[in-house]
Amino acid sequence: MTIPDKQLISLTEKYQTPLYCYEAELIKKRYHELYSFIPYSKLRIYYAMKANYNLHILKLLEKEAARIDAVSPGDVYMALKAGFSTERILFTANKISDAEMHEVQSLGVLFNIGSLSRLEKYAKAYPGSEVCIRFNPDVVAGGHEFIKTGGEATKFGILLSNVEKVVAIANEHGLKIVGIHEHTGSGIPETVQMQKGMKNILGIITPARFPHLNFVDFGGGFKVVYHPDENQVDYETFGKEVVELFTDFCSKFGRELEMYFEPGKYLVAESGKLLVEVTTVKQNRSKLIAGVNSGFAQLIRPMFYSAYHHIRNLSNPDGKLMTYDIVGNICESGDCFASNRELPEIREGDILVIETAGAYCYSMGSVYNMRAMPSEVLVDGAVDTLIRKRLSSLELVEKIVGESE
Ligand code: LLP
């Protein structure tokens, strides 16, 4: 299914580099795959749009009947622009301000509230309304320290031990708790950790506490393969186990509830690539350094999480293998995509592809050092569509000047 290298090269000629390019079919495949792995009739997939909020990717998933996990008013407006109706958006309200609360509430989107104080404020402002409550699953798991969201050291969710406080606030103000939510972390390496979080959450749910419950949302965290030697997690087996667990739970609860998941990475990470051009090759005594026309402002995961992204030399695939540091064009020494990486000989002008760049790459980008973010292209078979155009340097400056006046 992957885009042939020849096509990638021609995209760089057509659109220039740096260039983000996404494969439409793979996004759809991953989305539908989850439905087949988790055979539960009331399964709903909410795409965590923080992973990649490109309008056209949102539209693509909208057409597939996906729903949206939004985390800011901007996310909500963007999802609405892409065609998602308010009923298909869940707003995870993390550390929101009162102004943000009122703004999003006026749009009619369901809130997922993760702190007692926000719940109290929401209940007072909107008594009688429906809400979802985010609990902390009390499991510490995730691909890196920064992306573990469970356990007492994190800022997310209400501790399970506070469940009675939640119920009391809801009852006092007539809130209907229609959903219970948890999210354990991102890139969770072992499915048992996800299952532990799920069991912990299910452990506090009773019909007496939550008579209005419609769904349980188990968050995101599905892992993808970044390194060629990594094995993919067996989500097929996981899916079957989860359905058994949830079906058992529902029969004890007395009603068939909806089951939500909120994957970000799993749906879009592998679909994306960042294509860059080598501008400088430098021999520093024993060290070979290849510098490219992009940097951590445009793809921060290696620098921020020490994340591995596979890199290939598209222009010289059969060249002699040599060891390189692949560095960016930002004026900081930490601006490095890969250290001591073996690649076929790299020459100035070569095109490199940084793989698995569809999730949390463009979306975490900035214009640090005043370079505009790359263009984005969506590839569907032989057809490519420019889905976001790079600003020229002058356009970027004018935009910033405009915002400053
Ligand atoms: N639901 C909630 C409430 C979340 O906080 C997140 C991610 C997700 C769902 C989606 O998680 P995913 O399926 O994508 O793992 N920037 C990091 C990942 C941060 C994830 C933040 N929350 C990275 O590049 O690895």
Side-chain angles (χ1 to χ4, degrees), residues 122-185:
Y122 190 81
K124 282 186 184 145
Y126 305 105
S129 57
E130 298 188 336
V131 283
C132 173
I133 305 292
R134 178 175 186 170
F135 282 98
N136 179 330
D138 212 11
V139 173
V140 184
H144 182 271
E145 275 316 308
F146 294 175
I147 53 178
K148 295 175 178 168
T149 36
E152 67 179 17
T154 83
K155 62 183 179 179
F156 300 103
I158 296 172
L159 290 180
L160 297 169
S161 53
N162 282 330
V163 61
E164 292 304 348
K165 288 189 185 150
V166 168
V167 172
I169 295 171
N171 288 344
E172 190 188 338
H173 301 277
L175 284 187
K176 294 187 187 70
I177 299 176
V178 294
I180 299 288
H181 173 281
E182 63 105 355
H183 171 72
T184 301

Side-chain angles (χ1 to χ4, degrees), residues 58-69:
L58 293 175
K59 282 184 173 171
L60 179 157
L61 283 164
E62 194 280 326
K63 278 207 192 91
E64 302 303 307
R67 299 174 180 214
I68 286 292
D69 163 40

Side-chain angles (χ1 to χ4, degrees), residues 182 194-202 218 242 245 261:
E182 63 105 355
M194 278 170 101
Q195 280 162 322
K196 180 84 180 56
M198 295 170 76
K199 285 178 189 158
N200 287 354
I201 285 293
L202 294 178
F218 296 111
V242 158
L245 175 76
F261 278 101

